[in-house]
Amino acid sequence: MQQKKITLVTGGGIGIGRATAIASAGAGHHVVVTDVLEREGNEVVEHIRATGGSAEFMLLDVRSTPQADSVVRAVEETHGAIDALVLNAGIAHRVPLPQLSDEKWDITHDIDLKGMFRVARAALPHMRSRGSGAIVCLTSLMGVAWGWNEHVHYSAAKAGVVGLMRGLAMEVARDGVRVNAVSPGFVETAQLASEEHSLGREGIRKAAEFIPLGRVGQPDDVADVILFLASPAARYITGQVIVVDGGLVVTGR
């Protein structure tokens, strides 16, 4: 019997990460769900196992280099390899410019950008030595097409993700490793529904009115694209940003 592909998802406890973990398990992968949210991460694993899939949870704070190194090493030692790495962990906190301290800037960048680098850096040596692997980074429309009022730190970090992805893609391409990014538009998650930090429920309703496809995205809409980029079907794609926004960018809004 062919060995299951091993997919590691950061921020896999909720939202797009959760949907990606479930979709990957549905495709027959063994999924390593990582998050700082232990309860939510374990619930995802329980859901996957209850529906016949294979998964495990590992606690991972992407701000910690020792944790990132330890988790990746443990997965490689247990399973032999990481076939697909989905770098999804992130935060988006509304902070008006006068209150945007060095600390608040650094926290966002430490999670949303450097956190991706830490996990990728840990996983890439083994991927390169075996000559295969796929990495998918989560950026945002706010990092590739728009600015976002009172989210300067977030927009800058997500723009940085694109640079990180492209730099990695060039450096590891000849080693058989592909690196791409997905840029979601408005996706109905707890983050987007937050009145404090994002659109809120009324904002989500209004957004659906001007999105060409007539609705706000669902986490599954993004997860399916991530799954494609991590699969052999995307074998000739690297260094690219795939926008998943229901046509929003095309409107020029």
Side-chain angles (χ1 to χ4, degrees):
M1 186 173 73
Q2 186 176 8
Q3 185 177 358
K4 287 180 179 289
K5 297 289 187 182
I6 307 300
T7 294
L8 188 152
V9 182
T10 68
I14 60 174
I16 292 171
R18 178 182 188 275
T20 301
I22 292 170
S24 298
H29 301 187
H30 174 78
V31 184
V32 181
V33 179
T34 73
D35 211 312
V36 293
L37 305 173
E38 292 188 67
R39 178 178 61 82
E40 291 86 344
N42 278 302
E43 286 174 353
V44 174
V45 170
E46 291 170 9
H47 173 83
I48 289 172
R49 291 175 177 173
T51 53
S54 176
E56 64 187 286
F57 174 74
M58 299 186 74
L59 183 67
L60 173 58
D61 183 343
V62 298
R63 294 174 297 178
S64 168
T65 294
Q67 275 196 38
D69 291 346
S70 176
V71 165
V72 168
R73 183 168 59 250
V75 174
E76 290 173 346
E77 289 175 352
T78 300
H79 300 288
I82 296 172
D83 298 289
L85 183 60
V86 180
L87 301 175
N88 165 77
I91 60 170
H93 291 167
R94 185 192 307 276
V95 184
L97 194 58
Q99 283 80 55
L100 186 52
S101 64
D102 286 2
E103 181 184 15
K104 290 176 180 177
W105 172 280
D106 290 345
I107 288 171
T108 295
H109 281 248
D110 204 21
I111 296 171
D112 290 11
L113 179 55
K114 194 173 181 180
M116 291 193 183
F117 172 66
R118 287 186 180 98
V119 182
R121 178 177 59 189
L124 274 168
H126 197 199
M127 285 184 170
R128 297 178 83 176
S129 68
R130 56 195 276 267
S132 67
I135 298 176
V136 183
C137 307
L138 270 292
T139 180
S140 167
L141 283 188
M142 310 311 170
V144 303
W146 295 351
W148 194 6
N149 187 38
E150 299 184 336
H151 287 80
V152 170
H153 47 322
Y154 177 80
S155 293
K158 287 301 186 180
V161 169
V162 177
L164 172 68
M165 176 274 293
R166 287 175 175 160
L168 290 176
M170 288 298 294
E171 189 156 344
V172 302
R174 292 300 178 99
D175 298 313
V177 181
R178 297 181 300 102
V179 189
N180 291 288
V182 173
S183 173
F186 293 129
V187 178
E188 193 166 0
T189 61
Q191 171 65 44
L192 192 69
S194 170
E195 298 283 351
E196 180 182 3
H197 294 298
S198 194
L199 295 186
R201 289 295 175 188
E202 179 61 18
I204 290 174
R205 186 192 65 77
K206 290 180 178 178
E209 296 175 358
F210 57 76
I211 294 171
L213 286 183
R215 65 177 178 86
V216 169
Q218 296 299 313
D220 289 348
D221 296 324
V222 183
D224 286 346
V225 178
I226 294 170
L227 190 60
F228 161 70
L229 287 173
S231 77
R235 59 191 172 274
Y236 202 56
I237 301 174
T238 197
Q240 302 303 308
V241 179
I242 308 299
V243 175
V244 186
D245 70 345
L248 190 53
V249 167
V250 181
T251 68
R253 292 184 69 97

